[in-house]
Amino acid sequence: MKILISDPLHEDGIELFKSEGFEVEVNTGLSPDELHKVIKGVDGLVIRSATKVDKALLDAADNLKVVGRAGTGLDNVDIPEATKHDVIVMNTPGQNSNAAAELALGHIFALSRNIARGHQGLKSGKWEKKQLRGREVKGKTLGIVGLGNIGAILAELGAGVKMRVIGFDPYLDAEAIKARGAEPVSFDDLVKEADYISIHVPKTKETTGLFNADTFKKMKNSAFVVNCARGGIINEEALCDALDAEELAGAALDVYEVEPVPAEARILCADGVCCTPHLGASTYEAQVNVAVAVARQISGYLKGGEPEFAVNAPK
Ligand code: NAD
Ligand code: MLT
């Protein structure tokens, strides 16, 4: 049986497939047309966020049984269409959550202490010791939107640095939110009360543009927002306008409406924005975890086992 790996995957995952007797083709950075050719005869497809699994790719596939996401987000997969094509879709929940939560906390500190601005200033010959006075996070309110795998870890990290942690998640009851380390609040209260807002929800119809012009107006002028979840959950144009109007103090982004984000994009030039290039899961540990997990899950399924972490159920 054949596995196609169309986005970068750690060697440990590739070796696991080979040791289970699969033929493995690693072919990354392909255009849709190229992908439509190489998908022929493939039983299992391994992706991260770059490959778009849409109707055209599923139509082109003649033998595909399973798509495995080495990571969490499945917004690049048309799941209903996969179901129609009898293709199981699975992800590897939890395997990169610590990495993403640590990056969110890193961004909180970077914003609070002007780390990126200090670095940039020094490189251009400026010693901005007075201008870049920061704030401490101790005693401040951290508002977490989405208390799933990553949100729960961030809640623990936030408490560890002595923040008050509040959380909003409409799919969890109050007890579950408390058990994940946050005080349950409404979305409106979270936006109004938080000194730092960190977003950890999937990108869905409901969460696209969740942070828009109205949301920013409700935030404290001294507050920061961090998005290490998915581009588009924050409306970038509205964020730039709100930063210009000083409706909030700053923002940190790891994910963008368009990736790779174009160098001339307004969001990269906005004052008070600290950016990383989708690094949430880019740690050695997380990449080994997701690669081994996806290889283990796909091998198990293709060899007749029950699908693990499947998000659909073709008949
Ligand atoms: P998860 O499924 O474990 O948790 C998501 C949580 O969001 C769930 O508890 C769900 O109930 C909640 N939720 C859904 N809709 C909501 C809404 N409208 N308002 C509030 N809460 C809502 O997912 P996770 O592993 O914690 O991942 C969270 C996000 O982070 C996903 O978008 C994922 O793709 C992204 N992610 C990004 C990186 C990165 O590299 N930057 C790495 C890993 C995950
Ligand atoms: C994810 O959803 O798991 C992330 O976007 C991580 C990634 O694959 O870069």
Side-chain angles (χ1 to χ4, degrees):
M1 279 187 282
K2 185 168 177 184
I3 304 295
L4 173 65
I5 298 173
S6 62
D7 290 326
L9 190 76
H10 191 277
E11 196 54 36
D12 287 5
I14 301 170
E15 285 312 313
L16 198 150
F17 276 124
K18 288 182 181 164
S19 71
E20 291 289 331
F22 290 93
E23 183 193 339
V24 181
E25 177 177 346
V26 181
N27 209 338
T28 60
L30 299 178
S31 68
D33 282 350
E34 290 167 328
L35 201 50
H36 296 168
K37 287 185 191 128
V38 299
I39 197 72
K40 304 282 182 213
V42 165
D43 297 271
L45 172 66
V46 180
I47 58 164
R48 282 184 59 198
S49 52
T51 301
K52 309 289 171 236
V53 182
D54 53 13
K55 181 174 183 309
L57 178 60
L58 290 158
D59 283 345
D62 53 1
N63 196 35
L64 192 62
K65 299 166 185 74
V66 55
V67 173
R69 162 69 152 112
T72 313
L74 283 163
D75 42 290
N76 51 329
V77 179
D78 186 335
I79 297 168
E81 202 55 51
T83 309
K84 278 189 208 157
H85 284 76
D86 281 336
V87 172
I88 284 273
V89 178
M90 48 177 66
N91 64 356
T92 60
Q95 300 294 338
N96 59 20
S97 308
N98 191 64
E102 286 187 7
L103 182 69
L105 185 67
H107 271 306
I108 288 172
F109 280 115
L111 288 167
S112 306
R113 303 304 297 273
N114 295 305
I115 294 174
R117 288 171 71 177
H119 174 79
Q120 259 177 339
L122 277 177
K123 286 185 68 143
S124 56
K126 291 189 245 164
W127 185 260
E128 300 176 297
K129 188 171 163 75
K130 284 197 183 112
Q131 295 89 323
L132 298 185
R133 179 180 297 142
R135 296 190 218 137
E136 295 178 29
V137 301
K138 183 178 170 185
K140 303 291 190 315
T141 299
L142 168 61
I144 301 179
V145 182
L147 267 298
N149 287 311
I150 300 170
I153 297 172
L154 182 64
E156 199 181 333
L157 296 176
V161 292
K162 306 207 178 336
M163 300 180 87
R164 170 192 172 221
V165 183
I166 59 177
F168 169 72
D169 192 321
Y171 299 100
L172 294 175
D173 63 28
E175 286 314 308
I177 294 178
K178 282 186 206 157
R180 286 160 198 233
E183 187 188 314
V185 292
S186 68
F187 181 69
D188 256 28
D189 285 347
L190 183 145
V191 168
K192 286 179 193 154
E193 283 180 38
D195 299 298
Y196 299 84
I197 297 175
S198 198
I199 302 170
H200 299 288
V201 295
K203 186 174 184 180
T204 61
K205 276 191 190 134
E206 188 193 5
T207 62
T208 299
L210 184 64
F211 282 78
N212 52 45
D214 285 345
T215 330
F216 296 127
K217 282 191 194 357
K218 290 178 192 156
M219 285 176 66
K220 292 182 185 175
N221 299 143
S222 56
F224 297 100
V225 64
V226 176
N227 185 11
C228 291
R230 274 294 175 274
I233 297 172
I234 287 185
N235 179 309
E236 289 176 8
E237 202 58 24
L239 173 62
C240 292
D241 290 343
L243 287 165
D244 286 350
E246 298 184 11
E247 288 170 356
L248 70 164
L253 303 179
D254 186 48
V255 287
Y256 306 88
E257 285 169 354
V258 176
E259 294 186 15
V261 58
E264 65 283 2
R266 185 177 170 207
I267 195 71
L268 295 183
C269 312
D271 257 352
V273 176
C274 178
C275 293
T276 46
H278 205 142
L279 295 183
S282 293
T283 63
Y284 175 81
E285 295 86 344
Q287 286 314 308
V288 171
N289 289 347
V290 296
V292 170
V294 81
R296 198 182 42 74
Q297 289 171 220
I298 290 184
S299 305
Y301 176 62
L302 287 177
K303 289 188 166 186
E306 282 301 309
E308 267 184 87
F309 301 116
V311 295
N312 66 344
K315 289 192 184 113

